[in-house]
Amino acid sequence: WNKAAQASGGVMRSTDRIGAGPYARLAETPRRKAGALSYANTKNLPEAEIHRRAAQLIQDRFVHADAVMRCFGPAILCRSGGDPSDFGDVNFPELNTQSKFLVLADTSTPQQVSRFVEKFWGLEKPEIIISVTGSALDFELHPILQRAFDKGLTAAASAANAWVITGGTDTGVMKLVASSLSSSGVSMPILGFSPFGAINEREKLERVYGGASTMVSTKATKDGAPLNAHHTHFLLVDSGKHGVKAWGTEINLRVAFESFYLERKSVPMVLLVVQGGPGTLATVLETAKKGSPIVVVADSGGAATAIKQYIEGDGEGSLSNWTSPHGKVEDLAVKFGTEKPLGQLREIRKCNEESGGKLITLFQVNNDGVLEATEDMSNVLLQAIVRLWVAGGGDSAGRITPPDRPGTPSSLAQPALALRESNASLSSQSMASPESSALGTAADPLQHAQRQRRMRAIQLAVKWNRPLVVEAIFKEQHNPKGEFTKSHQLALQYALELRRYDVIRLLMGYQGFSLQFVNLCKLYLVPNDGFLDSDEKLQK
């Protein structure tokens, strides 16, 4: 009972932090109630009644916290000096766009930020997070690579309920990615984590408190940069520093936010690396240590090309010159040849080798100016996630955790950890269905977790309508006769619900294909064009 009472009050503990806003104590009411309902007050109650009260208390706690965040979200947070958080809309008249923004302290917790984004802004929990890192300086990609990048990134982000997270400013890779997604006309959340002290015209965002402000395009300097008008939401991290000293102060909160969704909400994340300098290597290394998939646009220059050369070559001696599409030569051996970048490249390469080469995926153009991979960027991003799920040794969020890596669970602890996260993930994902229990619980927890990961990979591939990826996953499965298994049955159910006809045709080709186990009730509940919910048409 004490543990239940403690858990019910442990969701938001912001009142002890600098980042707590004036209304943070509204969220503490059920916590004080939990203290009053102590063990002494319940020791004479039946065990079933104690469990009921504990469950009710925890439920009330979450409902209360959600209601407070929906109504008073910005007031739960504050700025670095304790002032109320600035929030509202920012208008960009030059492109006739409007975005949401929030100024928050760098001491805010990822739990607080997650609740604000989902409850106050109303963003739906993502099925995948595409985190973009790279150069803050403007650059251009190879024309063929640029077209493939634009088309593939848009297809990947729109196929699933994805969030795209960048640095938010109107420079470099942030500008490139946001412009690519915006030009497609597809609506999706593009979140920008930016240092508030390095934003041009930031004074226009102060003391707005739910109102609207207007910002115009300005020139980026070492002391600041404008916000990119194509982002839909901005999380402006206030550290109390301004100008050049503010750069990088948002990184810790951004990493914690992404890690929170990866580890606590089991949302898969893929890191997309485009160009970049020595600082980009630190982000790539941290992602590699977590075991999350990394897609490197290898021919974009900078850190991306250096990673490609290093992991494909013989280490330090493999770094060479790179020529941009406009003929500019970049000496990567000089730029990344010092002790710190080389040490980071060595660790990145080691992480990739420990994963069997599955951690880093290269997206590049060959010497003839043709994409080496026949698939587009969307397939590359999907396969980067899927092959970690299908391969052994990962967990439910698609991370690879070698037992000999410092700071990761031991080989004995990994099966239980993977099983626990896998079960939590499936229960929280909208794509999961009750039929997933048909897979059975294996005697070996690791085997069971691998089956669960395989089903999540199949579901994601079906959602993206990638029959070739679905087929590749089934080939990895031990099924020499190519028979129609329980995994095929669940894939068929999901494909029917989403009307993925190419996937359905693929499944119909397997030996023993059958509609016997299709759940017609679930199909009946899926919104459709009037066939299954019309008695007259159904009878015909």
Side-chain angles (χ1 to χ4, degrees):
W1 167 259
N2 288 335
K3 289 184 178 180
Q6 182 180 1
S8 68
V11 180
M12 294 178 62
R13 296 186 293 271
S14 59
T15 53
D16 298 328
R17 298 179 57 84
I18 299 176
Y23 286 89
R25 290 194 177 277
L26 285 174
E28 300 300 318
T29 303
R31 192 177 179 184
R32 292 194 293 271
K33 181 180 178 182
L37 296 174
S38 62
Y39 174 77
N41 296 335
T42 59
K43 62 180 180 180
N44 295 325
L45 295 176
E47 184 177 0
E49 176 64 16
I50 294 177
H51 290 171
R52 188 196 68 80
R53 291 192 182 188
Q56 183 65 49
L57 184 62
I58 294 173
Q59 183 181 21
D60 291 345
R61 177 67 186 88
F62 278 94
V63 171
H64 183 85
D66 288 348
V68 169
M69 186 59 74
R70 283 195 299 269
C71 298
F72 304 99
I76 303 298
L77 303 163
C78 75
R79 294 182 53 176
S80 62
D83 294 330
S85 291
D86 297 297
F87 70 101
D89 299 320
V90 53
N91 297 313
F92 300 94
E94 295 174 352
L95 296 177
N96 193 28
T97 59
Q98 185 181 71
S99 307
K100 300 288 185 182
F101 80 91
L102 170 72
V103 183
L104 70 165
D106 59 346
T107 56
S108 304
T109 67
Q111 292 92 331
Q112 290 174 327
V113 182
S114 170
R115 280 184 172 273
F116 177 87
V117 169
E118 293 187 27
K119 303 304 178 183
F120 191 80
W121 278 345
L123 294 185
E124 185 180 352
K125 176 186 170 182
E127 294 174 354
I128 181 177
I129 290 178
I130 303 175
S131 180
V132 184
T133 187
S135 176
L137 301 177
D138 291 336
F139 62 94
E140 294 185 16
L141 296 176
H142 188 287
I144 296 177
L145 189 61
Q146 179 71 62
R147 289 193 294 271
F149 181 87
D150 294 347
K151 180 181 178 181
L153 182 61
T154 301
S158 59
N161 175 30
W163 288 359
V164 178
I165 300 180
T166 79
T169 57
D170 195 32
T171 58
V173 68
M174 292 80 73
K175 180 179 180 180
L176 174 73
V177 169
S179 299
S180 297
L181 294 173
S182 177
S183 61
S184 68
V186 179
S187 177
M188 68 191 75
I190 309 176
L191 281 65
F193 270 84
S194 309
F196 180 72
I199 298 301
N200 292 350
E201 297 186 320
R202 56 183 174 274
E203 63 277 0
K204 293 184 177 181
L205 303 179
E206 295 182 331
R207 292 178 170 78
V208 175
Y209 301 141
S213 180
T214 300
M215 301 186 76
V216 297
S217 178
T218 56
K219 184 178 180 180
T221 67
K222 65 176 183 179
D223 292 320
L227 295 174
N228 180 267
H230 294 301
H231 285 69
T232 60
H233 301 80
F234 293 101
L235 291 161
L236 307 178
V237 182
D238 181 18
S239 64
K241 298 179 180 179
H242 302 285
V244 67
K245 295 182 179 180
W247 290 114
T249 55
E250 82 288 356
I251 293 177
N252 288 339
L253 183 56
R254 173 179 170 177
V255 170
F257 179 78
E258 294 172 348
S259 298
F260 176 77
Y261 274 90
L262 177 68
E263 298 168 2
R264 298 283 294 276
K265 296 200 171 189
S266 295
V267 176
M269 186 195 84
V270 57
L271 180 68
L272 181 61
V273 185
V274 187
Q275 231 255 6
T280 302
L281 294 179
T283 303
V284 175
L285 178 57
E286 287 303 313
T287 303
K289 287 180 177 179
K290 294 174 185 175
S292 293
I294 302 168
V295 174
V296 177
V297 183
D299 294 297
S300 58
T305 302
I307 292 172
K308 178 240 182 182
Q309 292 181 356
Y310 198 93
I311 65 175
E312 288 188 341
D314 57 355
E316 285 80 349
S318 60
L319 297 180
S320 60
N321 292 343
W322 174 80
T323 305
S324 72
H326 299 288
K328 182 180 178 181
V329 179
E330 183 179 17
D331 192 342
L332 300 179
V334 173
K335 190 172 184 179
F336 300 95
T338 57
E339 181 179 356
K340 184 176 180 180
L342 285 177
Q344 293 170 330
L345 286 169
R346 278 193 295 269
E347 291 192 60
I348 292 171
R349 180 176 179 175
K350 180 182 177 183
C351 292
N352 189 52
E353 290 174 347
E354 289 174 344
S355 71
K358 294 181 171 64
L359 190 64
I360 297 178
T361 302
L362 301 178
F363 187 74
Q364 57 190 339
V365 175
N366 63 21
N367 294 331
D368 298 325
V370 180
L371 285 175
E372 291 190 352
T374 56
E375 60 271 4
D376 59 17
M377 170 73 77
S378 62
N379 268 357
V380 171
L381 290 170
L382 174 62
Q383 289 176 346
I385 299 172
V386 165
R387 64 180 182 170
L388 289 189
W389 276 345
V390 174
D395 63 13
S396 64
R399 297 167 293 178
I400 286 183
T401 52
D404 58 341
R405 185 179 302 164
T408 59
S410 66
S411 57
L412 293 176
Q414 283 183 28
L417 176 63
L419 175 60
R420 183 172 65 251
E421 293 185 347
S422 158
N423 291 337
S425 168
L426 284 173
S427 64
S428 63
Q429 292 290 327
S430 60
M431 65 174 64
S433 64
E435 285 85 351
S436 61
S437 60
L439 291 173
T441 302
D444 181 2
L446 181 58
Q447 182 182 358
H448 174 65
Q450 289 174 348
R451 288 184 179 182
Q452 302 283 37
R453 288 195 306 274
R454 184 181 295 112
M455 276 313 306
R456 288 197 63 201
I458 292 172
Q459 290 171 331
L460 191 60
V462 171
K463 176 94 184 236
W464 286 25
N465 197 23
R466 297 295 191 273
L468 294 179
V469 179
V470 175
E471 184 178 20
I473 296 173
F474 285 135
K475 286 182 179 179
E476 294 286 340
Q477 186 174 318
H478 182 66
N479 184 19
K481 296 183 179 180
E483 296 176 344
F484 201 73
T485 65
K486 291 180 180 179
S487 297
H488 294 77
Q489 295 169 9
L490 296 180
L492 176 63
Q493 178 75 38
Y494 199 56
L496 288 170
E497 293 176 13
L498 296 176
R499 298 188 180 188
R500 300 296 189 252
Y501 302 120
D502 292 336
V503 178
I504 295 173
R505 291 189 188 97
L506 169 69
L507 295 172
M508 291 175 66
Y510 284 91
Q511 179 181 349
F513 171 82
S514 173
L515 295 174
Q516 179 180 357
F517 298 100
V518 172
N519 189 329
L520 293 178
C521 293
K522 292 195 68 175
L523 295 181
Y524 183 86
L525 296 174
V526 174
N528 57 78
D529 57 3
F531 180 75
L532 291 178
D533 57 4
S534 170
D535 291 338
E536 181 179 352
K537 292 182 179 179
L538 188 60
Q539 292 301 320
K540 291 182 180 180

